[in-house]
Amino acid sequence: MSLLQREQEVKLALIESIAHSQQALARILDSVASVTAHSEVSARSLAENIRLLSRYQEEMSRMVTGIRLARIQQGEPGLPWLKEPEYAVRIVRDIQEEC
């Protein structure tokens, strides 16, 4: 077995492991949902643990695949960057003159 083939098998095994972990996490969330409805502290703790586990899995996936997912940004969006209106009018005039 070549080194490249072995590396691909190891990467595939890691991805399969992450997928199984995500399925197990979904089952845990399903069974714990009713309990955490009564305890805000438990819900907060569980949410933090899930966040950490997801970040670990994301980093492992990135290392294996080389694909980095964009993080969701929180907060107020900035103003859109637009060219000056005169610039757009000038472009339209140039196009009309060409026609």
Side-chain angles (χ1 to χ4, degrees), residues 6-20:
R6 179 66 186 138
E7 181 181 346
Q8 289 175 342
E9 287 179 0
V10 168
K11 287 180 179 182
L12 181 59
L14 181 59
I15 291 170
E16 287 175 347
S17 175
I18 291 170
H20 288 295

Side-chain angles (χ1 to χ4, degrees), residues 35-55:
V35 175
T36 58
H38 303 291
S39 173
E40 187 176 324
V41 175
S42 295
R44 209 174 294 129
S45 175
L46 182 62
E48 178 63 15
N49 288 336
I50 291 169
R51 186 187 68 78
L52 290 173
L53 179 60
S54 295
R55 291 199 56 193

Side-chain angles (χ1 to χ4, degrees), residues 23-93:
Q23 291 171 347
L25 187 57
R27 287 191 303 271
I28 291 169
L29 287 174
D30 190 41
S31 63
V32 173
S34 59
V35 175
T36 58
H38 303 291
S39 173
E40 187 176 324
V41 175
S42 295
R44 209 174 294 129
S45 175
L46 182 62
E48 178 63 15
N49 288 336
I50 291 169
R51 186 187 68 78
L52 290 173
L53 179 60
S54 295
R55 291 199 56 193
Y56 289 141
Q57 291 176 339
E58 178 185 340
E59 187 62 25
M60 285 190 294
S61 298
R62 186 196 62 76
M63 289 178 1
V64 169
T65 64
I67 299 171
R68 184 176 272 303
L69 301 176
R71 293 221 180 259
I72 296 174
Q73 298 292 324
Q74 301 292 328
E76 296 277 327
L79 293 174
W81 179 82
L82 300 173
K83 289 258 186 194
E84 300 149 1
E86 298 82 30
Y87 179 78
V89 171
R90 196 172 38 221
I91 295 295
V92 170
R93 282 189 193 140

